[in-house]
Amino acid sequence: MQLTDSVRKIKGVGEKAEKRLNKLKIYTVEDLLEHYPRGYDEFKPIKPIERLEEGETAAVEGTLAVRPQMKTAGRLRILNTEIQDASGCVPVTWFNMPFLRNQLKMGTRYIMRGRVVKKRGRLLLEQPKLYSKDEFYRQMGKLRPIYPLTAGMTNSAITKALEQALKETEFLPDFLPLEIRKRQNLPEYKKALWQIHFPADRKERDEGRRRLVFDELFLYSLSLAYMKKREAALSSHVMERKKEVDEWLDELPFSLTTAQKKVYEEIVSDMTGGTVMNRLVQGDVGAGKTIVAVAALYQAVLNGGQGAFMVPTEVLASQHYDNLCGLLSKRGVRIGMLTGSLTAKQKREGRENLACGTWDIVVGTHAIIQDNIEFKNLSLVITDEQHRFGVKQRESLFRKGEQPHVLAMSATPIPRTLALILYGDMDLSVIDEKPKNRLPIKNCVVNTSYRPNAYRFMRQQIEAGRQIYIICPMVEDSEEMELENVMIYTEELKGIFPASVRIAALHGKMKPGEKEEIMAAFSRGETDILVSTTVIEVGIDVPNATVMMVENAERFGLAQLHQLRGRVGRGKEQSYCILMTGRDSKESKERLAILTQSNDGFFIAEKDLKLRGQGDLFGVRQSGDQLFKLADIFEDAGILQQAGQEAKRFTQEDIILFYKKNEKLRNRVESYLGQVTL
């Protein structure tokens, strides 16, 4: 079996399974092999109920103490009971499993294993599985991979398909040169795949993961190195500095900060300097990156070129489009928008407007890099939220013009040491101060006993015309449970707040169009409280939102918490961030206290990096980062630096990638960049 073969070639994968795998973007054998576990379930011995701890997955053995009761909450059917052993009693809850009501018998002894959560100040066992003694003890001590799933696809089915695929692909080509494997003490590719999918123990799992993470980061760094050489070419769009832009900046109702002025001068110097600009602007949330980008776009248009502004979500595209129209339309700049939800007619008209030059600037999602999009004279490409777009997407947009200038922006606070490697093909600018009219966010870390006070405060804010975000606790076990958390929390809030308070729910299992509409309604002020998972981390700008409350804040990385609180504090009113922790441990309090000490994302990112160390390498991915399937730029900072050094060493000779012995690596780089030749 070849890596490029369809998953249908794997024994046991039929038509239905293939369609479900396709929903997970698994089409080939290679796609399946790179569908890595998002965690591992380690079966530990049965615990006495009195020793259960919040957040763990644990097994208890006891008898039913309460007859099972069924209730409904929206679309959910919830089954409740209690299990008791010699040490105590714990409530048990199942979602959408009504059949258990007739199976569970009072007085019968059960082994139940599930997640321990805290609700209303009391621990409970959520969605546990039932085991016979023989079945449970056979699993003891094993590491069982847990995979990202989709409707109809079970973890067991993925596991079986992967095991079969690894058995049937006897020879897996190893593209990593032997000398690098030896220097970095890395196992062979196939061995690493077995180790990450079916590890005998934690040591073996970590060894396999380190090899595969190195692969991702080395390939990325190597691709950037070759892109940088190519992009250092002479520019086809050498521009003149236009005085009209400076006049426009002077007429704005606010003054640029010193940092904004400095970065703008760097951009102008690039665009007028004769070579292709390839610059990353890093700026904390609310630092004012957008106005600098608009100035660059205006500069490009006045020089006879077109500009493209690519953003990760449709809501953000609409916000930028409205902003650009308000800033530049009166000066004769023609602005359009292209997103996936437009009608076929609107998309066709948009393509025509770009091809004939009717539009000077287009704002859009990845829709603007589709094959059928052509520009008359694309001279400047801007990508917002840089970490959401991989090398391939950046490359696709770059190819829409004749070596256009490239400006990328990111509000994700990445320490400079990592940014220099991660964006190794780019020059780096930093906007490190915020506009003077922004009030600093007031932060507090509280435990669950503060919840009634928090709700009273939120009600006061709503009565004053403000809006609220509430982020639900992250759920590592399944998307289904995450959905249930959001929906149940939303129903509970509706019982706490008056009927006049408009509450909406948002979660990752919704269809893209549904998510966009919910965020757009919140943006329009039609919702008072938005209960959400972390899907709102990036891509929504609502100046009227003044409160961000994060449940179980201790489960998040500091950098992500900072990104989340960046959704508030964007207007003139005082904003607040309430970090509610379910654990009173000294360690979690110290971590979260860092957020109360500073609103500086780069300071927090550095602290986050030091605090995490090597930590749990299979924790929930914190960065929201879409560049890698496995690597995390914070957790794997050390490997990123090693991979960057190896890539630098490898590219010191121009022709080294074309040596016969490196043919497999060259093919991988070409595939990675989507090019026929380098």
Side-chain angles (χ1 to χ4, degrees), residues 357-384:
T358 303
W359 283 354
D360 299 312
I361 297 170
V362 63
V363 184
T365 56
H366 62 279
I368 65 178
I369 59 172
Q370 300 303 309
D371 291 341
N372 58 358
I373 301 293
E374 293 181 6
F375 290 79
K376 184 179 181 182
N377 184 26
L378 181 62
S379 63
L380 175 62
V381 166
I382 297 179
T383 55
D384 193 13

Side-chain angles (χ1 to χ4, degrees), residues 185-460:
N185 192 27
L186 299 169
E188 290 183 352
Y189 180 56
K190 183 161 184 178
K191 182 181 179 183
L193 286 171
W194 274 109
Q195 288 176 318
I196 197 165
H197 288 295
F198 306 107
D201 51 39
R202 292 187 180 194
K203 182 181 176 184
E204 193 171 286
R205 172 199 71 180
D206 293 347
E207 184 180 273
R209 183 186 183 278
R210 184 175 177 275
R211 159 67 207 260
L212 297 168
V213 165
F214 184 91
D215 283 359
E216 287 188 342
L217 297 174
F218 175 69
L219 192 58
Y220 179 83
S221 300
L222 193 59
S223 300
L224 289 187
Y226 279 94
M227 282 174 68
K228 186 167 187 175
K229 287 188 177 185
R230 182 208 63 199
E231 290 165 358
L234 293 176
S235 174
S236 304
H237 305 280
V238 182
M239 300 182 187
E240 295 177 6
R241 181 171 191 143
K242 296 293 184 179
K243 68 179 189 308
E244 292 93 334
V245 183
D246 296 310
E247 291 168 357
W248 170 75
L249 287 169
D250 289 339
E251 291 170 9
L252 291 173
F254 54 86
S255 299
L256 297 190
T257 62
T258 303
Q260 285 174 311
K261 290 175 183 175
K262 178 177 177 289
V263 170
Y264 176 61
E265 290 302 325
E266 290 171 345
I267 291 167
V268 172
S269 176
D270 287 348
M271 293 169 75
T272 59
T275 55
V276 176
M277 173 174 71
N278 196 28
R279 184 168 292 277
L280 170 68
V281 176
Q282 272 194 299
D284 211 345
V285 284
K289 298 179 296 299
T290 303
I291 199 69
V292 175
V294 175
L297 286 166
Y298 191 23
Q299 193 80 245
V301 171
L302 290 172
N303 275 276
Q306 289 174 296
F309 199 159
M310 187 164 75
V311 298
T313 69
E314 293 203 5
V315 170
L316 200 55
S318 296
Q319 289 170 350
H320 278 316
Y321 172 75
D322 291 341
N323 197 15
L324 277 162
C325 288
L327 289 166
L328 296 179
S329 289
K330 289 179 182 177
R331 288 184 164 257
V333 179
R334 300 160 300 183
I335 302 157
M337 183 168 68
L338 267 182
T339 61
S341 66
L342 296 179
T343 65
K345 182 183 177 184
Q346 289 171 323
K347 289 176 184 175
R348 186 179 67 252
E349 289 173 351
R351 290 196 298 270
E352 291 168 358
N353 288 330
L354 286 175
C356 69
T358 303
W359 283 354
D360 299 312
I361 297 170
V362 63
V363 184
T365 56
H366 62 279
I368 65 178
I369 59 172
Q370 300 303 309
D371 291 341
N372 58 358
I373 301 293
E374 293 181 6
F375 290 79
K376 184 179 181 182
N377 184 26
L378 181 62
S379 63
L380 175 62
V381 166
I382 297 179
T383 55
D384 193 13
E385 289 307 335
Q386 167 68 12
H387 71 296
R388 295 281 166 141
F389 296 110
V391 176
K392 286 183 181 179
Q393 289 170 308
R394 284 163 50 198
E395 181 77 3
S396 296
L397 189 51
F398 181 83
R399 286 166 165 266
K400 293 294 179 184
E402 190 178 333
Q403 292 189 308
H405 296 291
V406 176
L407 180 65
M409 302 194 299
S410 178
T412 303
I414 299 169
R416 187 176 179 85
T417 50
L418 296 188
L420 288 171
I421 303 169
L422 195 63
Y423 304 120
D425 62 324
M426 308 183 107
D427 297 311
L428 189 63
S429 293
V430 179
I431 300 179
D432 53 7
E433 61 179 312
K434 292 185 181 180
K436 293 180 175 61
N437 63 345
R438 290 283 175 91
L439 291 170
I441 297 167
K442 291 185 178 179
N443 308 282
C444 65
V445 178
V446 296
N447 60 29
T448 51
S449 66
Y450 184 79
R451 194 186 305 283
N453 292 336
Y455 289 158
R456 276 194 295 274
F457 178 66
M458 288 177 189
R459 189 169 172 181
Q460 291 167 5

